[in-house]
Amino acid sequence: MTELVVRTLPSPSGVQSPGPDTYKGWLFKWTNYLKGYQRRWFVLSNGLLSYYRTQAEMAHTCRGTITLATVHIEVGDTCHFVLTSGGRSYHLKAGSEGESQRWVSALQQAKANATQMLHHSDDSGDEGPLAQPDRALIQGALKTLASKLDDLSTCNELIGKHGAALQRSLSELEDLRAPTDGADKLKTVNERATLFRITSNAMINACQDFVDLAEAHSRRWQRSLQYEREQRHHLEETIEQLAKQHNSLERAWRESPSTHNQGSERTPEGESSEENDDIEFFDAMEDSQAFITVPVNDQLQHRHLSSTQSVSGSLSSNWSQEDNDNSGMYLRRGRRCRIPDKPNYSLNLWSIMKNCIGKELSKIPMPVNFNEPLSMLQRLSEDLEYSELLDRAARCESSLEQMCLVAAFSISSYSTTINRTGKPFNPLLGETYELDRLEEYGYRSICEQISHHPPAAAHHVISQRGWTLWQEITIDSKFRGKYISIMPLGSIHLKFNATGNHYVWSKVTSTVHNIIVGKLWIDQSGDIIIVNQRTKDTCHLKFSPYSYFSRDVPRKVTGVVTDSEGSAHYILSGTWDDKIESAKIIESSHGCGETEGKQKTVYQTLPPKLLWKKYLLPENAENMYYFSSLALSLNEPEDGVAPTDSRLRPDQRMMEAGLWDEANTEKQRLEERQRLERRKKEAQANLALEEGRVVESYHPQWFHKKTDSETGDSSYVYRGGYWEAKERQDWNQCPAIF
């Protein structure tokens, strides 16, 4: 056996090395993009380089090990060197050039000795480094080692037995008073000492046999382990390549025309008729009545025209083609129309998040590389992109028509998310955001972060065009390994001044896929139930999750508008990333279901009318985080805003300007400051409890908790005063959070 001998050098940290084959000391190891280089305790021993966070961890926890026999040592700039083996790399830095040279010399010597030991083992007839050990061989080795352990245990018992007997004899010899008995006692002591010596020698021999056998098998298992590591690395690369190919094929399939699906749904020639040429089939909604819609032909529409003219007259005036022409509807008056292009920084998301599976997304420290230069408060305000839908709804005389437009508005808020895979900044506690579009669109919006853990925000919008919207949203998010789920909790309230109609609904779950490999993409899934608290009209919307095997259009949304008695009046259909249409129901009938006990409802409808269509993205949007026209203006600097406004957040502004390294530094500073402030408040609260004083909880600046008289729900609503304070420019009550 060739022993690994490393030249003993003065320890870089001043710690003495315990032996000639061991070298220890402090080095700085690159950990990740967030923390950079961290000080770690490294131990070089027996051809292995291991590291620990502290010296105390050597007794129980090893943070990582690299085999020097196959390592590649690359010496970089001053004090830097890189170790690479089997797809794993250690980027290390010493405290000085002298320490770096000593470490490199020790590592090179250890590598040479480990390589020599490996060749020596190969020459002795062991299996090659790429041969996998046979199961029978492993089991035989384990049995042999177990047998040796039994021998050691037997020797240990004998040593204990003979040692105790020897001790008794020695005690008796000391207590001996009569000289005549001395010869016999001395003879007994010699016999027992001889037995003890024989047993000790047997123990030593058994230990030597065990160590020799363990070392022989250790070399073979070490090579097997190295082989398995290389195979695993190769397998990971293969899986990643397959995932990329699968993603490319899936994307190509989604972008190609679904001619096969269209052809399979057409009625065969010779079997068509006037009444079934335009039949559209809708999947049954879960927990709701299954239905099929049949748009009526011209003759049938003329037959029903007289009975529906009064109902659809206002519908046609509100949903006319003039309203649906979006080309010039959302003009930007003096607002910016571009931001600096997104820098091309590459960073592996999986390398950061692989240790965060099952955690809440808001508690995972993330660099700005995975953000977009907007806060969650600004994303919440972005729901108002299609506020003209609510302006049109305020002019509706029919509450059912109004419900259709409210439903279209609730769907439109997801249209901007289709390519927005960047994570918005988590707002700091007390952070606010105002969106004043009184001049252009007649509304004012104010948001405030009312809780940090769990993250929660309150939002209030008032419009001069006859409506008010408010919501309190708590974000619950989980990282599941392959995807991230974002579940917004809370209700959105919308009230129209003229009619008093009060609508309430919640958001669906958003899912970000392909976290490990492939291109990130977003899907929306779940149900939205919108209820008019005054009339009890409802709209049930279903967001169908994407499925590779489904024949449906991706991102499909379907819905039914019913009155308080459960009678259906409108069918909604479309996709959440493109457009939504509504069709007036003329007649309904029950047909045979596909499964026993379940019937499909067949709805006969007028031709569908366009409710909403997504605006085209600005030019060069792919280099500007896929921001819409409204999103591009959200972070534009404005005079007179509160000092807590998201526009003034320094890390967010640096990221927008392309200064990502500076933004990461600033982000860490703000988050650490917030953590210190939270600990300070917790300490004050604990002190108050010990002294028997009342603990004061955090109170938002512009919102307070109130119970809704119609729904009975308790939530944070706008208390007033923000716009008045802005007019006076009196921000003395605002905390200094940046």
Side-chain angles (χ1 to χ4, degrees):
M1 173 182 172
T2 302
E3 293 184 352
L4 172 63
V5 180
V6 178
R7 181 166 48 96
T8 304
L9 299 172
S11 175
S13 61
V15 178
Q16 296 298 323
S17 299
D21 61 343
T22 303
Y23 190 67
K24 300 180 180 182
W26 290 103
L27 287 173
F28 292 91
K29 177 182 177 295
W30 176 263
T31 54
N32 56 48
Y33 193 86
L34 290 173
K35 298 181 179 180
Y37 282 95
Q38 296 292 315
R39 194 166 181 252
R40 297 289 184 260
W41 179 254
F42 279 81
V43 177
L44 174 60
S45 177
N46 295 325
L48 301 175
L49 180 66
S50 307
Y51 74 93
Y52 311 83
R53 285 186 180 174
T54 62
Q55 298 180 48
E57 277 193 350
M58 291 178 61
H60 52 82
T61 304
C62 177
R63 299 291 173 175
T65 301
I66 193 168
T67 304
L68 294 178
T70 57
V71 78
H72 172 69
I73 303 174
E74 180 181 354
V75 181
D77 298 336
T78 306
C79 304
H80 289 76
F81 53 95
V82 181
L83 307 180
T84 305
S85 176
R88 179 183 299 180
S89 296
Y90 285 175
H91 295 260
L92 306 175
K93 182 171 67 172
S96 65
E97 288 189 36
E99 291 178 8
S100 176
Q101 292 175 1
R102 287 193 292 270
W103 269 107
V104 170
S105 299
L107 290 168
Q108 289 174 342
Q109 182 65 43
K111 176 185 176 182
N113 292 337
T115 305
Q116 182 181 358
M117 182 184 68
L118 188 62
H119 293 332
H120 176 80
S121 299
D122 292 340
D123 295 340
S124 64
D126 290 340
E127 297 180 21
L130 297 181
Q132 297 191 49
D134 184 75
R135 179 181 294 272
L137 182 62
I138 295 177
Q139 291 178 348
L142 292 176
K143 288 180 180 179
T144 305
L145 289 173
S147 174
K148 294 297 181 181
L149 282 176
D150 290 340
D151 293 344
L152 289 174
S153 178
T154 302
C155 290
N156 183 53
E157 292 177 0
L158 290 174
I159 286 177
K161 177 181 177 181
H162 293 309
L166 180 60
Q167 185 64 41
R168 287 195 304 271
S169 297
L170 290 173
S171 300
E172 292 174 356
L173 188 60
E174 290 178 356
D175 296 338
L176 186 63
R177 295 181 180 178
T180 56
D181 298 334
D184 295 336
K185 294 295 182 182
L186 188 60
K187 182 179 179 181
T188 302
V189 169
N190 288 333
E191 290 176 352
R192 291 180 176 178
T194 302
L195 289 174
F196 183 79
R197 184 173 61 255
I198 293 172
T199 307
S200 299
N201 290 334
M203 180 72 169
I204 293 171
N205 293 333
C207 288
Q208 186 62 47
D209 292 342
F210 180 83
V211 170
D212 292 343
L213 186 62
E215 287 181 348
H217 288 290
S218 175
R219 293 194 298 272
R220 182 181 296 109
W221 290 338
Q222 186 175 343
R223 290 193 301 275
S224 300
L225 178 61
Q226 180 65 26
Y227 169 80
E228 293 297 335
R229 284 174 176 169
E230 293 174 355
Q231 288 294 100
R232 185 186 67 177
H233 180 65
H234 176 69
L235 183 60
E236 288 175 351
E237 291 179 342
T238 304
I239 291 175
E240 182 175 358
Q241 187 65 27
L242 289 174
K244 290 179 179 178
Q245 293 176 2
H246 171 78
N247 183 67
S248 300
L249 291 172
E250 191 177 60
R251 185 169 62 252
W253 179 85
R254 288 201 300 265
E255 293 173 354
S256 64
S258 52
T259 54
H260 175 74
N261 293 345
Q262 294 175 359
S264 63
E265 293 180 3
R266 293 197 186 101
T267 306
E269 293 184 4
E271 298 180 6
S272 62
S273 65
E274 290 183 354
E275 293 185 0
N276 64 11
D277 280 345
D278 297 324
I279 291 180
E280 297 181 12
F281 294 92
F282 291 80
D283 284 346
M285 298 172 63
E286 294 180 3
D287 302 326
S288 67
Q289 204 172 23
F291 63 89
I292 302 174
T293 61
V294 185
V296 299
N297 55 27
D298 293 340
Q299 294 180 356
L300 190 58
Q301 181 179 354
H302 179 73
R303 190 181 309 160
H304 288 276
L305 186 60
S306 59
S307 61
T308 60
Q309 189 171 9
S310 59
V311 177
S312 61
S314 60
L315 178 68
S316 299
S317 63
N318 285 321
W319 299 349
S320 62
Q321 184 62 35
E322 182 180 356
D323 282 340
N324 291 324
D325 183 8
N326 296 310
S327 58
M329 185 177 292
Y330 208 56
L331 298 177
R332 298 291 166 192
R333 302 177 183 177
R335 306 287 178 185
R336 69 179 184 181
C337 57
R338 68 168 293 109
I339 58 175
D341 287 356
K342 177 182 179 181
N344 186 21
Y345 286 137
S346 61
L347 190 62
N348 185 4
L349 178 62
W350 178 244
S351 66
I352 293 177
M353 303 193 70
K354 62 184 178 182
N355 297 323
C356 304
I357 296 176
K359 295 183 180 179
E360 290 187 20
L361 190 61
S362 61
K363 295 184 179 180
I364 299 175
M366 299 281 285
V368 301
N369 302 55
F370 301 115
N371 284 53
E372 60 179 21
L374 291 177
S375 73
M376 181 59 73
L377 301 180
Q378 291 167 312
R379 283 292 291 267
L380 208 57
S381 303
E382 204 175 341
D383 287 355
L384 301 170
E385 175 107 26
Y386 300 92
S387 63
E388 74 276 0
L389 289 170
L390 301 183
D391 299 340
R392 289 159 56 189
R395 300 194 297 267
C396 285
E397 297 179 0
S398 168
S399 62
L400 293 172
E401 294 174 18
Q402 193 176 70
M403 174 70 83
C404 292
L405 287 165
V406 172
F409 173 78
S410 69
I411 298 169
S412 70
S413 63
Y414 298 98
S415 63
T416 60
T417 66
I418 179 64
N419 294 308
R420 300 273 289 278
T421 55
K423 176 181 176 289
F425 280 77
N426 288 330
L428 303 175
L429 185 63
E431 186 173 333
T432 61
Y433 180 73
E434 70 160 73
L435 184 64
D436 190 347
R437 293 294 187 267
L438 206 60
E439 228 180 276
E440 299 102 313
Y441 307 113
Y443 68 80
R444 276 177 163 177
S445 165
I446 176 68
C447 296
E448 182 179 2
Q449 187 77 359
I450 59 176
S451 172
H452 185 61
H453 283 306
H459 184 204
H460 183 269
V461 190
I462 186 167
S463 172
Q464 293 179 336
R465 300 177 183 176
W467 53 270
T468 303
L469 182 146
W470 67 96
Q471 58 180 319
E472 178 193 338
I473 296 295
T474 300
I475 301 298
D476 185 18
S477 53
K478 289 292 184 182
F479 175 51
R480 305 296 186 183
K482 295 182 180 179
Y483 61 90
I484 295 174
S485 296
I486 299 101
M487 294 80 71
L489 308 176
S491 299
I492 304 171
H493 297 257
L494 173 65
K495 195 166 188 175
F496 292 97
N497 302 340
T499 61
N501 287 336
H502 180 186
Y503 297 88
V504 182
W505 71 93
S506 300
K507 290 179 174 287
V508 296
T509 298
S510 301
T511 307
V512 184
H513 295 271
N514 284 357
I515 298 299
I516 301 178
V517 291
K519 183 179 179 181
L520 296 176
W521 60 279
I522 292 181
D523 195 20
Q524 315 289 347
S525 59
D527 292 357
I528 292 180
I529 300 177
I530 307 174
V531 180
N532 185 338
Q533 298 295 322
R534 189 181 71 85
T535 65
K536 303 306 177 184
D537 299 337
T538 61
C539 176
H540 187 175
L541 297 172
K542 180 177 178 60
F543 288 65
S544 300
Y546 172 75
S547 173
Y548 183 79
F549 303 100
S550 175
R551 297 171 56 188
D552 288 335
V553 176
R555 299 172 283 279
K556 178 181 176 182
V557 180
T558 54
V560 182
V561 176
T562 59
D563 59 22
S564 58
E565 297 179 354
S567 300
H569 291 266
Y570 288 96
I571 295 296
L572 304 180
S573 61
T575 58
W576 53 263
D577 68 324
D578 184 20
K579 65 180 181 180
I580 291 294
E581 296 176 334
S582 76
K584 171 75 175 176
I585 296 174
I586 300 300
E587 187 179 346
S588 62
S589 60
H590 294 286
C592 295
E594 296 181 357
T595 58
E596 186 178 355
K598 185 176 181 181
Q599 288 185 332
K600 278 192 175 182
T601 301
V602 180
Y603 293 128
Q604 208 166 36
T605 67
L606 291 173
K609 292 183 179 293
L610 184 66
L611 284 179
W612 160 79
K613 185 169 178 61
K614 180 186 177 183
Y615 305 138
L616 294 176
L617 290 176
E619 186 179 356
N620 196 40
E622 65 276 7
N623 295 321
M624 298 186 294
Y625 309 91
Y626 287 96
F627 280 178
S628 64
S629 297
L630 175 61
L632 287 173
S633 68
L634 290 178
N635 208 39
E636 184 177 8
E638 291 190 15
D639 296 331
V641 299
T644 54
D645 197 275
S646 298
R647 297 176 180 88
L648 304 177
R649 181 166 173 163
D651 53 349
Q652 192 172 299
R653 296 229 65 87
M654 290 176 180
M655 182 192 177
E656 184 183 275
L659 306 174
W660 284 16
D661 291 338
E662 294 84 348
N664 275 317
T665 302
E666 188 64 23
K667 182 172 182 286
Q668 290 183 21
R669 182 189 71 82
L670 290 174
E671 291 174 347
E672 183 61 28
R673 176 178 177 176
Q674 182 168 240
R675 281 191 287 268
L676 291 174
E677 186 66 24
R678 186 176 69 250
R679 294 188 192 118
K680 180 180 176 182
K681 290 181 178 179
E682 289 174 353
Q684 292 175 350
N686 292 333
L687 181 61
L689 287 174
E690 291 175 0
E691 296 177 353
R693 293 184 286 110
V694 178
V695 179
E696 293 186 4
S697 59
Y698 175 78
H699 297 289
Q701 188 66 41
W702 310 109
F703 289 81
H704 66 107
K705 204 149 197 175
K706 186 178 179 181
T707 301
D708 191 282
S709 58
E710 296 184 20
T711 64
D713 296 334
S714 180
S715 62
Y716 280 89
V717 297
Y718 181 55
R719 72 164 76 230
Y722 178 86
W723 303 108
E724 292 78 7
K726 181 182 180 182
E727 188 175 349
R728 300 190 307 269
Q729 282 299 293
D730 179 14
W731 304 116
N732 293 327
Q733 69 274 33
C734 293
I737 60 175
F738 299 140

